[in-house]
């Protein structure tokens, strides 16, 4: 490997805001929020969805209002109700 071409990594904590679960890892990204865990300073990254709360991993069923989306689309682009053919 070539020297000095890879980004520097540092300890990071990812916090799922919906479950408040924390995942420790390493990251090249930076954050102003910091926390010391077991004597090591970690940068904190807040996440809305992680593997701990994502419906695909939790098995939670969510209802998606597709009819409302269609009506919103039709209203936005000026389409009326479909006309029946005679």
């Amino acid at each position: 490997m070539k020297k000095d071409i890879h980004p520097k990594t540092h300890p990071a904590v990812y916090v799922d805001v919906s479950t408040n679960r924390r995942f420790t890892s390493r990251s090249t990204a930076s954050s102003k929020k910091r926390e010391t865990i077991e004597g090591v300073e970690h940068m904190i990254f807040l996440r809305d969805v992680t593997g701990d709360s994502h419906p695909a991993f939790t098995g939670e069923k969510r209802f998606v209002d597709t009819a409302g989306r269609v009506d919103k689309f039709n209203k936005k682009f000026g389409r009326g109700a479909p006309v029946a053919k005679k």
Side-chain angles (χ1 to χ4, degrees), residues 5-77:
I5 63 168
H6 299 286
K8 304 292 182 205
T9 62
H10 49 271
V13 174
Y14 295 94
V15 180
D16 187 326
V17 295
S18 61
T19 63
N20 206 27
R21 184 153 179 218
R22 297 170 177 274
F23 303 92
T24 57
S25 184
R26 296 193 62 81
S27 177
T28 58
S30 61
S31 172
K32 292 181 181 181
K33 293 183 180 183
R34 299 175 191 272
E35 178 180 331
T36 302
I37 301 173
E38 297 178 2
V40 179
E41 186 176 61
H42 290 70
M43 293 190 179
I44 298 175
F45 298 97
L46 301 176
R47 297 289 170 243
D48 293 330
V49 178
T50 65
D52 194 45
S53 62
H54 193 281
F57 299 112
T58 63
E60 177 185 340
K61 302 292 182 188
R62 291 188 183 175
F63 177 73
V64 178
D65 182 19
T66 55
R69 290 182 183 181
V70 172
D71 291 338
K72 184 178 178 181
F73 175 84
N74 288 337
K75 187 184 293 183
K76 181 176 181 179
F77 292 103

